[in-house]
Amino acid sequence: MANPMPSMPRGEDFFREIPATKVILIAMAASFLVGLLWPPLQGLLAFRPDIPNLVTGLVTYPFVFGNDIIGLLLSGLMMFWFGGSLERSWGLRTYVLFLLGTTVAAIVVWEIGNFLLLGGLVSWFGPWLMISSVIVAWAWLNPQATILFMFVLPMRAIWIGWLDIVLLYFMMPGGVSGPRRFLLGFFALGGVALAIAFVKYQKQWGWIPRKPRAKTVKPVRHPASGPFGLLLRPYREWQRRRRIAQLERTFKLDD
């Protein structure tokens, strides 16, 4: 099981224990700073329905923040806490595989929903699809851990995960009205759905330590029990008496 709380590693452990999270945090900060100096960079990293962004944007869209310094600080803090905890629990390779899978799945499922319900693909950028998958994965991995929501209200991790899912469902289709809004909300959950499935797979078949199952001890049956034992009981009794008689004769000869 992962650490019961998303702990901050010590300074000397930051670069050694969570290299992938470190690279993501540096990339977020660099993208934000370069985007301020050269705004066209945001268009190069965002997901757009044209080439090459239709392909490259599947991975780079979480690193576009616009001028949202608050969003940068919050997303960096979430990645540092929850992402760092996942990386220390799973290791580099599994953690990177998780991030790539959930990040791509989130935008692909979201764009499928836009294509089916709105008639086309839309441009998209921002870190919250990736961050939500990380938070939900950590919550499902540590459901009974207690954290301070908004640094004030203590809540179980599992409820933080469900709150994240509810916010995604209602806030992602923000500009859509009517029945399509409620349908489109389900397509915002592709990344978190894969995150939950990934955690369950890791618990069952992967490398996450899990509580060993209690071994059931089967009762040992006596050789003479059962229907065949009842039939052989007279024969075994005759053999027993025969061995006793042989022992008695042997001791008499020795005397």
Side-chain angles (χ1 to χ4, degrees), residues 29-42 65-69 72:
S31 173
F32 177 78
L33 293 176
V34 176
L36 292 179
L37 301 175
W38 187 50
L41 175 68
Q42 299 179 7
F65 294 87
N67 298 324
D68 185 9
I69 183 65
L72 172 66

Side-chain angles (χ1 to χ4, degrees), residues 161-194:
W162 279 114
L163 179 61
D164 194 303
I165 292 174
V166 170
L167 291 176
L168 273 181
Y169 176 81
F170 285 104
M171 295 183 66
M172 283 288 288
V176 182
S177 59
R180 290 182 301 178
R181 176 187 179 92
F182 299 99
L183 293 176
L184 190 59
F186 289 106
F187 289 92
L189 307 180
V192 295
L194 181 59

Side-chain angles (χ1 to χ4, degrees), residues 176-235:
V176 182
S177 59
R180 290 182 301 178
R181 176 187 179 92
F182 299 99
L183 293 176
L184 190 59
F186 289 106
F187 289 92
L189 307 180
V192 295
L194 181 59
I196 294 172
F198 192 93
V199 169
K200 290 185 177 181
Y201 172 84
Q202 287 295 310
K203 284 184 176 181
Q204 185 66 28
W205 305 106
W207 299 276
I208 298 176
R210 53 189 181 273
K211 185 178 179 180
R213 297 179 180 177
K215 295 182 179 180
T216 57
V217 180
K218 295 182 178 180
V220 180
R221 297 182 63 183
H222 192 273
S225 62
F228 295 101
L230 294 176
L231 295 176
L232 294 176
R233 186 173 297 175
Y235 174 73

Side-chain angles (χ1 to χ4, degrees), residues 35-255:
L36 292 179
L37 301 175
W38 187 50
L41 175 68
Q42 299 179 7
L44 296 176
L45 297 179
F47 177 87
R48 297 201 314 264
D50 53 30
I51 299 299
N53 294 71
L54 186 64
V55 178
T56 59
L58 294 174
V59 178
T60 59
Y61 74 90
F63 299 98
V64 182
F65 294 87
N67 298 324
D68 185 9
I69 183 65
I70 301 300
L72 172 66
L73 295 176
L74 287 178
S75 59
L77 188 61
M78 295 301 101
M79 282 300 301
F80 185 54
W81 280 349
F82 299 104
S85 178
L86 291 179
E87 185 173 3
R88 289 193 298 273
S89 298
W90 289 342
L92 176 62
R93 183 174 61 178
T94 303
Y95 178 63
V96 170
L97 177 63
F98 164 81
L99 283 181
L100 287 176
T102 53
T103 299
V104 173
I107 190 65
V108 168
V109 175
W110 173 244
E111 293 296 339
I112 289 175
N114 283 283
F115 181 80
L116 295 177
L117 298 174
L118 304 181
L121 304 180
V122 298
S123 298
W124 190 261
F125 64 87
W128 297 112
L129 288 176
M130 179 180 70
I131 299 295
S132 295
S133 298
V134 170
I135 293 175
V136 168
W138 187 89
W140 253 254
L141 190 60
N142 306 276
Q144 300 304 317
T146 301
I147 61 178
L148 294 178
F149 178 65
M150 301 298 292
F151 304 100
V152 176
L153 181 64
M155 290 183 64
R156 294 289 186 185
I158 190 65
W159 294 115
I160 296 292
W162 279 114
L163 179 61
D164 194 303
I165 292 174
V166 170
L167 291 176
L168 273 181
Y169 176 81
F170 285 104
M171 295 183 66
M172 283 288 288
V176 182
S177 59
R180 290 182 301 178
R181 176 187 179 92
F182 299 99
L183 293 176
L184 190 59
F186 289 106
F187 289 92
L189 307 180
V192 295
L194 181 59
I196 294 172
F198 192 93
V199 169
K200 290 185 177 181
Y201 172 84
Q202 287 295 310
K203 284 184 176 181
Q204 185 66 28
W205 305 106
W207 299 276
I208 298 176
R210 53 189 181 273
K211 185 178 179 180
R213 297 179 180 177
K215 295 182 179 180
T216 57
V217 180
K218 295 182 178 180
V220 180
R221 297 182 63 183
H222 192 273
S225 62
F228 295 101
L230 294 176
L231 295 176
L232 294 176
R233 186 173 297 175
Y235 174 73
R236 292 195 177 104
E237 180 64 21
W238 174 78
Q239 282 187 325
R240 187 183 67 82
R241 292 182 180 180
R242 185 166 173 267
R243 287 194 295 270
I244 292 175
Q246 287 178 347
L247 290 173
E248 290 178 347
R249 287 197 298 269
T250 300
F251 284 124
K252 287 181 179 180
L253 289 176
D254 291 341
D255 292 342

